[in-house]
Amino acid sequence: MVLPVSERQFKLLKLLCEVSPEPLSKKQLTEMLWDDVVVSDWSLFRLISDTRQLLGDNGDSQQIIHTAHGIGFWMSKPEVISLSEQDNQASHQNVQHAKGLYWVGAAAIIIAIVAVILWPVYQHQQMQAAIARIAVYQSNTFTSFNAQVLRRNELAEMLQHRLGVARNMQFEKFFSHYYSEMNQQELFVFNQIRAITETGLYQNNQAIVNELNEYPDILEAIPLTHELQQHLTFWLNKYHSVFTQRPDMCLLYVGVEDGVPYPSGVDQNVKTWLDNHP
């Protein structure tokens, strides 16, 4: 099971590492971790327990985060090799300098180890958030598409009724063909349809592609997302190269005839993945 890593857990580890092996009191930790918010000791104990679990530690073994009974908590560091103290001041300063360098190095090692342990968890958490955003973008696109379909059908009916023609071609071509013959009322609906393409569809399609490009592991984790990426990339290319150059276009469809149909079922696959990874 992959556990989420909170900002407060990172801060806890940083605070303990900075003063290790000295302990921080419960009061100090509570004030530094929750600022001015008043919380009970239970909140701190819960945070310590969850953070130990992330590190493969627990309250019994306490291999990394230790309880200083009656005081607070402290973090392990490697044992320091005993250094003999000299009577003269110069030797004493050298010893203290050596100890200081040791602790700096030890702190860096501990931080690096913690980073190695938590980085995969952090990556998974980021990917999970990206997939959740994709689900929202897909929902927004679906809503926009349905709204556009209503206006599309309305415009087609208006043109067929007024001009006495039958729509025997795709909607894209039909509206483009009769664009110059549209009256003000028809142009108003036409512009509404185009606005949906420019905002609701374009913005959400671009956002989905951005997420898939930034988190390519999604393509392996969820079936059909690779096909979704191809479909939307083609749609966006057509949008920039054709749609923006053609004021007589209000719709932009990409499908089977282009060789990149929308992958049916990908929306449900995204929802299923999120349901299985709460």
Side-chain angles (χ1 to χ4, degrees):
M1 180 178 66
V2 178
L3 299 175
V5 184
S6 70
E7 181 179 349
R8 189 168 284 122
Q9 286 172 321
F10 276 113
K11 189 173 181 180
L12 169 66
L13 292 171
K14 181 175 181 292
L15 290 171
L16 291 176
C17 189
E18 286 175 344
V19 300
S20 177
E22 298 299 320
L24 286 174
S25 69
K26 291 184 292 184
K27 184 175 184 295
Q28 288 174 312
L29 287 170
T30 300
E31 290 177 350
M32 289 186 285
L33 291 169
W34 279 274
D35 298 323
D36 297 328
V37 179
V38 178
V39 297
S40 65
D41 287 348
W42 184 91
S43 297
L44 177 60
F45 297 153
R46 179 75 266 174
L47 178 65
I48 293 290
S49 176
D50 290 344
T51 306
R52 279 173 170 161
Q53 188 176 359
L54 278 172
L55 301 175
D57 197 6
N58 58 65
D60 294 328
S61 62
Q62 298 189 21
Q63 296 177 342
I64 300 175
I65 299 178
H66 303 263
T67 301
H69 294 288
I71 302 176
F73 300 92
W74 61 281
M75 179 179 283
S76 295
K77 278 189 176 179
E79 292 295 329
V80 183
I81 299 175
S82 177
L83 298 174
S84 60
E85 300 286 351
Q86 302 296 325
D87 293 334
N88 62 74
Q89 184 64 27
S91 296
H92 177 73
Q93 290 177 347
N94 289 338
V95 169
Q96 295 305 314
H97 179 66
K99 285 184 177 180
L101 291 177
Y102 175 83
W103 289 122
V104 170
I109 291 172
I110 290 177
I111 291 174
I113 292 173
V114 170
V116 169
I117 294 173
L118 297 184
W119 180 245
V121 180
Y122 175 76
Q123 283 184 309
H124 179 88
Q125 187 179 5
Q126 292 298 103
M127 186 181 80
Q128 187 175 33
I131 294 172
R133 290 192 294 270
I134 287 175
V136 173
Y137 300 143
Q138 288 177 316
S139 177
N140 293 343
T141 299
F142 182 74
T143 300
S144 298
F145 179 79
N146 285 338
Q148 190 180 66
V149 165
L150 293 176
R151 307 306 282 168
R152 179 201 71 187
N153 293 343
E154 178 185 359
L155 180 58
E157 181 64 28
M158 292 169 68
L159 289 171
Q160 290 177 98
H161 178 75
R162 186 177 67 83
L163 299 177
V165 297
R167 185 183 67 83
N168 54 6
M169 60 185 77
Q170 294 176 335
F171 283 105
E172 272 185 349
K173 296 179 180 179
F174 181 71
F175 293 148
S176 178
H177 181 77
Y178 289 104
Y179 176 72
S180 61
E181 300 182 44
M182 292 183 187
N183 59 29
Q184 287 188 344
Q185 185 179 7
E186 292 158 353
L187 284 173
F188 177 77
V189 179
F190 176 94
N191 289 331
Q192 286 184 315
I193 298 171
R194 184 177 174 92
I196 293 174
T197 301
E198 293 174 329
T199 55
L201 296 180
Y202 169 72
Q203 292 175 1
N204 286 287
N205 287 345
Q206 182 66 70
I208 292 173
V209 170
N210 290 345
E211 298 289 358
L212 294 176
N213 289 341
E214 186 171 354
Y215 300 97
D217 287 347
I218 295 175
L219 304 177
E220 300 296 329
I222 303 179
L224 297 179
T225 48
H226 181 69
E227 289 80 358
L228 175 64
Q229 184 185 45
Q230 291 180 321
H231 172 85
L232 294 181
T233 298
F234 192 95
W235 190 96
L236 290 167
N237 289 338
K238 187 175 178 180
Y239 176 88
H240 289 295
S241 62
V242 179
F243 184 85
T244 58
Q245 310 301 319
R246 294 280 301 272
D248 61 330
M249 287 184 66
C250 63
L251 293 169
L252 181 57
Y253 291 152
V254 170
V256 177
E257 67 278 5
D258 300 300
V260 282
Y262 189 85
S264 177
V266 67
D267 296 45
Q268 184 57 49
N269 289 348
V270 170
K271 293 177 182 177
T272 299
W273 191 95
L274 289 172
D275 289 340
N276 293 334
H277 299 79

